[in-house]
């Protein structure tokens, strides 16, 4: 796993060097706007990573479905505000796309929250990878992957979406039997839509399913910790942008990245945090239930032992009397 992360870090450095080199050679004056966006997203990652671990639970809502939804939306809203803390509030033309992406992620969140109540989804989450459960989850993630290819946020005629995020999550959640087929189908569908970036986007989609599946296998068939998932999506988004640079002409790829790279980072990080929290909450609820059952079993065992001791004492008394 560490080797994979190291490779992704190196590829992100290559991408950064390429961006700086291209803009310097082309003599384009972008007033640090691009890197300003990137720095805002990095700040979001750091703050959200802290908040997701420290934000107190909304105990008044108990175990109701509203609890998870409110918890996730609060974190998403904080991330949105953090991304624009760096003086972007006064520029609505930049604020709009991020707000649209926020709405898209909220819609995906609602769909995921509904899916988490399905028996098959819960079963896969707790390690029951039988054929029926995987098929149900495959249908869910495939639908999301196909919808994400059509449902996008447009910035200067450049579409940005969360397709790779969804495919990556499918691999991290269900392993190769889920991530790879979802990635292949979503990638193939993206390729049929055409466009200059059809090939790199399709390849990145398939690779995201493979990478997610590998991390799943290397992590003992469990969804990774939140910080690891955030790091993975941050680095993989850079890899996705690098694929566009490699497989499309520079006069197309670099302006393309300038439009969508910051918002793709924003969407990927927020999205993986939301899903990580859903997984964590479901696991904690399951563990709490198991702990409660174990506690009841221990109580019954203690009561049983006390009854046995009382019976033994009575038997001894009866023997003495006899």
């Amino acid at each position: 796993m560490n080797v994979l992360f190291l490779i992704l870090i190196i590829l992100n450095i290559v991408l950064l060097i390429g961006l700086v080199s291209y803009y310097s050679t082309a003599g384009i004056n972008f007033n640090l706007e691009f890197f300003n966006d990137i720095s805002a997203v990095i700040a979001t990652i750091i703050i959200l990573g802290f908040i997701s671990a420290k934000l107190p639970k909304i105990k008044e809502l108990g175990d109701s479905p509203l609890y998870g939804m409110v918890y996730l939306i609060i974190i998403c809203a904080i991330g949105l505000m953090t991304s624009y803390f760096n003086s972007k509030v006064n520029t609505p033309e930049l604020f709009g796309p991020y707000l649209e992406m926020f709405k898209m992620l909220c819609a995906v969140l609602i769909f995921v929250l509904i899916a988490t109540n399905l028996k098959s989804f819960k079963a896969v989450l707790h390690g029951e990878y039988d054929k029926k459960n995987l098929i149900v989850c495959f249908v869910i993630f495939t639908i999301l992957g196909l919808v994400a290819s059509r449902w996008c946020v447009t910035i200067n005629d450049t579409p940005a979406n969360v397709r790779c995020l969804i495919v990556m999550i499918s691999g991290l959640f269900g392993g190769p039997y889920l991530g790879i087929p979802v990635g292949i189908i979503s990638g193939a569908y993206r390729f049929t839509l055409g466009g200059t970036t059809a090939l790199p986007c399709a390849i990145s989609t398939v690779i995201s399913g493979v990478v997610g599946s590998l991390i799943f296998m290397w992590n003992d068939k469990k969804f990774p910790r939140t910080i690891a998932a955030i790091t993975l999506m941050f680095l993989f988004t850079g890899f996705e942008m690098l694929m566009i640079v490699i497989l499309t002409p520079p006069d197309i790829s670099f302006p393309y990245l300038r439009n969508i790279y910051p918002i793709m980072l924003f969407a990927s990080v927020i999205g993986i945090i939301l899903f990580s929290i859903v997984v964590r909450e479901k696991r904690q609820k399951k563990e709490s239930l198991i702990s409660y059952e174990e506690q009841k079993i221990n109580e019954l065992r203690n009561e049983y032992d006390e009854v046995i001791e009382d019976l033994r004492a009575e038997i001894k008394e009866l023997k003495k009397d006899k």
Side-chain angles (χ1 to χ4, degrees):
M1 186 186 300
N2 292 333
V3 174
L4 177 59
F5 275 97
L6 179 61
I7 293 172
L8 289 174
I9 289 172
I10 293 173
L11 293 177
N12 275 262
I13 293 173
V14 171
L15 173 66
L16 182 60
I17 293 173
L19 289 172
V20 174
S21 175
Y22 172 78
Y23 285 122
S24 300
T25 304
I28 297 176
N29 182 18
F30 48 87
N31 296 324
L32 297 180
E33 194 174 275
F34 177 80
F35 293 102
N36 203 22
D37 284 350
I38 297 294
S39 65
V41 174
I42 292 175
T44 301
I45 295 172
I46 295 172
I47 294 176
L48 280 177
F50 176 80
I51 291 172
S52 63
K54 302 297 183 182
L55 189 66
K57 295 182 179 181
I58 310 169
K59 295 183 179 179
E60 292 78 7
L61 298 178
D63 294 329
S64 69
L66 188 59
Y67 161 70
M69 186 177 297
V70 172
Y71 184 68
L72 299 178
I73 290 177
I74 286 175
I75 293 180
C76 195
I78 293 174
L80 183 65
M81 290 184 291
T82 304
S83 297
Y84 281 93
F85 185 74
N86 194 4
S87 72
K88 295 186 188 299
V89 177
N90 295 324
T91 54
E93 66 279 4
L94 289 176
F95 182 80
Y98 285 83
L99 183 58
E100 288 299 317
M101 184 61 77
F102 168 73
K103 293 177 181 177
M104 182 188 300
L105 287 171
C106 286
V108 173
L109 168 62
I110 292 172
F111 190 90
V112 170
L113 285 171
I114 294 173
T116 56
N117 292 317
L118 296 177
K119 184 178 179 180
S120 295
F121 195 100
K122 293 179 180 178
V124 172
L125 180 60
H126 299 303
E128 300 175 18
Y129 305 107
D130 60 40
K131 185 180 295 185
K132 178 184 176 181
N133 296 333
L134 288 173
I135 288 175
V136 172
C137 292
F138 166 76
V139 172
I140 292 171
F141 282 107
T142 300
I143 291 174
L144 283 174
L146 297 178
V147 170
S149 296
R150 301 302 299 248
W151 191 13
C152 57
V153 175
T154 303
I155 308 170
N156 297 327
D157 298 325
T158 305
N161 55 56
V162 293
R163 180 181 55 255
C164 280
L165 167 67
I166 291 170
V167 175
M168 179 70 76
I169 288 174
S170 70
L172 295 174
F173 176 72
Y177 294 108
L178 189 60
I180 293 177
V182 170
I184 292 174
I185 293 174
S186 300
Y189 180 69
R190 170 61 188 92
F191 186 76
T192 61
L193 296 177
T196 308
T197 60
L199 180 59
C201 288
I203 293 175
S204 298
T205 301
V206 176
I207 293 177
S208 65
V210 174
V211 170
S213 300
L214 288 174
I215 297 295
F216 171 86
M217 298 298 293
W218 292 337
N219 197 46
D220 297 327
K221 296 184 178 181
K222 295 179 181 179
F223 195 89
R225 295 168 63 93
T226 303
I227 187 64
I230 291 172
T231 304
L232 176 63
M233 280 312 307
F234 181 84
L235 295 175
F236 190 84
T237 302
F239 168 76
E240 186 181 357
M241 299 299 106
L242 182 62
M243 292 295 296
I244 295 174
V245 171
I246 293 173
L247 297 176
T248 56
D251 58 329
I252 295 176
S253 60
F254 285 102
Y256 189 95
L257 264 62
R258 186 185 178 192
N259 289 329
I260 70 166
Y261 191 13
I263 196 171
M264 292 285 282
L265 279 176
F266 173 83
S268 296
V269 171
I270 296 294
I272 200 69
I273 288 176
L274 296 177
F275 192 84
S276 295
I277 294 173
V278 170
V279 170
R280 186 176 63 189
E281 293 297 330
K282 292 296 181 181
R283 281 181 177 168
Q284 287 177 349
K285 188 175 181 180
K286 179 71 172 181
E287 290 170 359
S288 298
L289 180 61
I290 292 174
S291 299
Y292 176 77
E293 291 175 349
E294 290 177 347
Q295 181 181 354
K296 285 297 183 183
I297 290 173
N298 290 331
E299 290 177 358
L300 290 174
R301 184 183 293 116
N302 292 334
E303 291 177 3
Y304 177 78
D305 291 340
E306 291 176 1
V307 171
I308 294 296
E309 289 299 325
D310 291 341
L311 289 174
R312 286 175 178 172
E314 289 180 9
I315 291 172
K316 287 182 180 179
E317 289 295 331
L318 290 173
K319 287 182 176 178
K320 287 180 180 180
D321 294 340
K322 184 176 180 180

